[in-house]
Amino acid sequence: DRLRVSRDGTKINGMALIQRYRNQDGALVLVTEGEGRDDNKPANIRLTYVVSADRFIVRKDVRFEGQAYINRNEYRLSR
C-alpha cells in the first residue's frame, strides 16, 4: 500500500492529519481522521501510523454514529 502526503502536509491519503507527535520511545505517531464507509455503513475512520527505525504500525479505528470508536484492525511490521 502507499501513503500519499498532501503538498501542504495536512492530509495523508486524503484524510486530515489531526495529530503528530513522538511517543516515549521516540517513534513518530501520525493520526488521521475522515469520513468513510465500514461494514457498508457511513462511519468516522481514524488511522494511526507509528513509524520508527525498526517498526511500522497502522491501526484502524471506526466510529459509527452515536457509538464509541472500535478497533477494526492493526498491522505491525518490524525488522
Side-chain angles (χ1 to χ4, degrees):
D1 205 9
R2 292 183 185 185
L3 296 178
R4 295 181 195 270
V5 179
S6 64
R7 287 188 188 269
D8 63 2
T10 61
K11 293 183 179 185
I12 298 176
N13 289 351
M15 297 179 76
L17 180 63
I18 60 166
Q19 284 185 315
R20 179 183 187 268
Y21 61 93
R22 297 241 178 223
N23 65 13
Q24 309 89 293
D25 65 358
L28 177 63
V29 180
L30 304 168
V31 181
T32 65
E33 275 190 10
E35 296 298 317
R37 294 188 72 76
D38 190 82
D39 199 21
N40 220 14
K41 296 183 267 188
N44 187 282
I45 298 172
R46 181 189 315 159
L47 293 170
T48 303
Y49 303 92
V50 180
V51 183
S52 72
D54 59 354
R55 68 187 166 122
F56 180 72
I57 300 169
V58 180
R59 177 186 171 107
K60 179 182 179 183
D61 296 307
V62 176
R63 181 178 66 195
F64 299 106
E65 188 174 332
Q67 298 180 8
Y69 276 99
I70 59 169
N71 177 253
R72 182 57 78 198
N73 54 47
E74 183 171 300
Y75 297 98
R76 294 175 168 263
L77 306 167
S78 62
R79 57 170 142 162

